Amino acid sequence: MNILLLSMPDSFEHTPTVAIRMPNGALASLAGNVDPHHRIAVADLILAQTRVRAILEELVRTHRPDLAGLSVMTFQRKTAKKIIALLRSLRPAVRVVVGGYDPSMAPEAYTAESDSLVDFVVRGEGELTFRELLRALEKNSGYERILGLSYREARRFRHNPDRPISDLDGGEIRLPNRDARVLGGYTMLGRQVDVVETSRGCTFDCSFCSIIAMRGRQFHTYSFDRVLADIRDARNHGAQSIFLVDDNITLNVRRFEALCQAIVEARLNHLEYIVQAMTSAIANHSDTLVPLMRKAGFRYVFLGIENILEADLDFLRAASKNAQRENGRQAGNATLKAIAALHRHKMYIVGGLIVGTPGDTRESIEANLEFARRYVDWPYIQHPTPYPRTAMTEDFQKRGLIIDERPEHYDGTTSVVRTDTLMPEEIEFLRWRAERWMKLRHLPPVFFRNPLFVLRNGAKMLAHTFRGMTLKTLFGLEGERQAFERYRAIRQAERTYV
């Protein structure tokens, strides 16, 4: 069977494609877990943002897919439906399956319409469900026993029971198939990048997060032998940087320390690593974990600060994962200690903050922005976003705080929820006004590490960061709100890929 797997071209504001183009690890994992006789092609459309239609026409002509699979996040839903329509026009007989966070959390968005162009929805983890679906298609044996699958039957959809979460240590899920990728150009600030997964899940219950709805409060890990084999395979495919995409790798600090040591002993510490981490884990184990991270080659740490104000942390249900402990007791917020430890060992901090919670005022937002300005190397500041089936979304709906219900705006940096005192546009303006200059500050370190990349792409990076601004803005001949309105118009136009 000919299979074409696609990730969407829509990108996040904080990861402009001129500088960061990450592969979709889930699609490579699907490709690695189908039976070997299938002919499978993986295309990350983030690599072809400006020529999506032409690339799809070429892929359909070249690979003649019998089945097309799309991995979709909520803000990519509109683009996904356009791509499905295009695929159907190019190859009417192709069957279409969707998966990922959005179809898993909101399958009705793909199945409720009587004229839906989708045939199957893979809900939750996809490797085993997708493998069983392909076998059923080949044998024409029916789909009613495939756990985690929704499928069209006549003009309605049937939804099979959920598939239990994989424990990962039984060998059922094989390594990704990176050879299936048919587009190139992955990069992280000029270095070829790939993604590797060492664990799945998280046991915290942050109100804004979709992981609990997707997997429950569970944490499962791969063996180190498998993880190291995955890293070697990524390296052998050209990767110089590795993003460990675990939901919460610092949930088990001793395991993370042992993994760092295993990377060193396997002589894989010549690669650069990026990771997401909790402030509490970094701060409470700063004397042992952080030096090991640096020795293993970790360079960028996405630190889940979330917010510096206790009331906001309580709303986000994120206080416990940001707690510093001394002698077994809570001793304040762990953020500053974590930041100091990482900086001491020459690692850069991507500061994950959320501003615009219901109780936020202009002053509380400015306090968080000032914190980011002082302490983080690259700001990753987002607004509360009502993703399907999160506890926060239920709260917003009950309180009538959601102003914008267009999923394509649910990208984290388009404010769609008001606070008790501020409208979304004002919240977004405050972030946009401050954030541009924070990002500019990280350009010299990038230049020091990779001067050729900055010489080639620095002007484009600046143009992206400051889009909406003109010389009149810089010289104070027009107000920043005029520039902000231009930025919003540009961002709106950027959302059209097909």
Side-chain angles (χ1 to χ4, degrees):
M1 188 180 298
N2 295 336
I3 303 161
L4 176 62
L5 299 180
L6 303 169
S7 68
M8 299 301 96
D10 316 62
S11 58
F12 291 105
E13 172 71 14
H14 293 314
T15 54
T17 53
V18 63
I20 302 171
R21 298 185 293 276
M22 292 280 182
N24 184 307
L27 294 187
S29 186
L30 289 182
N33 282 277
V34 302
D35 295 321
H37 62 276
H38 294 294
R39 295 172 296 279
I40 191 161
V42 171
D44 287 305
L45 296 178
I46 197 78
L47 302 171
Q49 273 189 331
T50 61
R51 49 197 178 97
V52 171
R53 181 178 291 271
I55 287 292
L56 287 173
E57 290 171 351
E58 180 183 341
L59 289 172
V60 169
R61 184 171 58 251
T62 303
H63 297 282
R64 301 180 62 81
D66 303 301
L67 181 73
L70 287 76
S71 177
V72 190
M73 300 180 74
T74 301
F75 78 105
Q76 300 169 332
R77 186 188 298 172
K78 184 175 180 179
T79 300
K81 291 187 176 183
K82 289 183 177 180
I83 287 176
I84 292 169
L86 177 58
L87 290 171
R88 291 285 196 192
S89 70
L90 296 172
R91 192 165 174 80
V94 70
R95 298 197 184 191
V96 175
V97 53
V98 293
Y101 270 107
D102 193 49
S104 295
M105 298 296 96
E108 67 279 359
Y110 301 87
T111 64
E113 304 164 2
S114 60
D115 60 346
S116 171
L117 298 178
V118 171
D119 298 297
F120 307 99
V121 178
V122 171
R123 309 186 318 271
E125 293 180 333
E127 290 91 349
L128 304 183
T129 303
F130 190 63
R131 183 193 302 168
E132 291 179 17
L133 171 61
L134 295 182
R135 290 172 179 173
L137 285 168
E138 284 189 306
K139 296 177 181 178
N140 195 25
S141 58
Y143 316 113
E144 62 276 1
R145 296 185 180 180
I146 302 176
L147 298 178
L149 184 72
S150 299
Y151 61 97
R152 178 189 298 282
E153 189 175 77
R155 293 183 63 83
R156 57 173 292 191
F157 267 82
R158 292 191 177 275
H159 303 282
N160 293 344
D162 293 340
R163 179 176 294 276
I165 298 302
S166 302
D167 62 14
L168 303 186
D169 62 0
E172 276 190 312
I173 298 180
R174 302 191 290 264
L175 286 172
N177 177 8
R178 295 179 171 89
D179 288 328
R181 293 171 178 161
V182 294
L183 302 178
Y186 304 109
T187 186
M188 169 73 178
L189 299 175
R191 297 171 62 89
Q192 184 171 327
V193 69
D194 212 324
V195 296
V196 166
E197 190 178 46
T198 88
S199 67
R200 291 180 181 176
C202 180
T203 57
F204 286 88
D205 65 341
C206 299
S207 65
F208 55 85
C209 187
S210 301
I211 293 170
I212 301 303
M214 185 84 158
R215 296 182 49 87
R217 297 177 70 173
Q218 302 183 55
F219 180 69
H220 294 110
T221 60
Y222 286 116
S223 70
F224 284 177
D225 286 344
R226 186 195 190 280
V227 172
L228 295 175
D230 202 0
I231 293 173
R232 290 189 187 96
D233 185 63
R235 178 201 61 190
N236 294 342
H237 282 83
Q240 301 165 297
S241 296
I242 303 289
F243 182 15
L244 299 184
V245 293
D246 301 40
D247 300 313
N248 191 349
I249 198 171
T250 51
L251 203 59
N252 184 336
V253 171
R254 296 307 175 204
R255 175 183 179 273
F256 188 24
E257 290 177 343
L259 175 61
C260 291
Q261 189 61 46
I263 288 171
V264 173
E265 291 173 359
R267 297 184 179 179
L268 293 169
N269 55 327
H270 63 288
L271 301 169
E272 286 191 357
Y273 295 89
I274 309 111
V275 72
Q276 305 173 97
M278 293 190 297
T279 60
S280 59
I282 298 295
N284 297 330
H285 302 271
S286 58
D287 292 339
T288 55
L289 173 61
V290 177
L292 274 172
M293 289 172 64
R294 189 68 192 100
K295 187 177 180 182
F298 285 85
R299 196 64 173 171
Y300 282 89
V301 179
F302 182 102
L303 207 55
I305 301 165
E306 317 309 4
N307 202 284
I308 64 165
L309 303 177
E310 293 303 318
D312 283 343
L313 283 175
D314 288 340
F315 171 78
L316 298 169
R317 298 186 190 172
S320 59
K321 72 174 191 176
N322 286 280
Q324 182 176 334
R325 296 190 175 277
E326 294 178 3
N327 300 319
R329 296 185 177 183
Q330 187 167 328
N333 192 293
T335 300
L336 286 177
K337 184 176 180 181
I339 289 172
L342 292 169
H343 277 162
R344 190 163 57 247
H345 289 274
K346 310 301 181 187
M347 284 178 269
Y348 296 115
I349 292 159
V350 181
L353 287 138
I354 300 173
V355 298
T357 59
D360 264 343
T361 62
R362 177 184 294 270
E363 291 73 23
S364 64
I365 291 174
E366 292 286 10
N368 276 281
L369 295 174
E370 178 58 28
F371 180 91
R373 192 179 291 112
R374 290 182 61 187
Y375 293 108
V376 308
D377 301 296
W378 181 266
Y380 205 107
I381 304 169
Q382 300 189 85
H383 306 301
T385 303
Y387 296 118
R389 291 177 55 189
T390 64
M392 187 168 68
T393 297
E394 293 180 12
D395 188 310
F396 289 156
Q397 289 170 338
K398 290 177 183 177
R399 297 162 70 170
L401 297 177
I402 302 173
I403 302 300
D404 186 343
E405 296 186 345
R406 290 170 289 183
E408 61 268 26
H409 290 175
Y410 288 10
D411 56 7
T413 50
T414 302
S415 184
V416 298
V417 175
R418 68 175 177 86
T419 74
D420 295 333
T421 58
L422 297 171
M423 293 301 289
E425 184 175 340
E426 183 67 15
I427 299 165
E428 187 177 336
F429 171 73
L430 293 172
R431 175 195 58 79
W432 171 85
R433 183 177 63 180
E435 198 175 57
R436 301 163 297 162
W437 303 101
M438 300 183 211
K439 291 178 177 178
L440 179 64
R441 190 175 57 197
H442 194 55
L443 196 59
V446 176
F447 179 82
F448 180 77
R449 294 178 62 242
N450 197 335
L452 187 59
F453 170 76
V454 174
L455 289 173
R456 286 176 174 171
N457 298 284
K460 293 179 182 177
M461 293 166 67
L462 289 173
H464 179 274
T465 301
F466 289 94
R467 63 202 194 284
M469 294 182 65
T470 66
L471 289 175
K472 289 173 67 177
T473 318
L474 288 172
F475 288 112
L477 300 177
E478 68 173 8
E480 287 189 311
R481 290 193 182 268
Q482 290 175 272
F484 175 62
E485 290 305 319
R486 281 197 297 270
Y487 156 77
R488 296 186 89 198
I490 293 168
R491 184 74 182 113
Q492 184 66 32
E494 289 172 343
R495 291 188 173 101
T496 303
Y497 301 97
V498 184

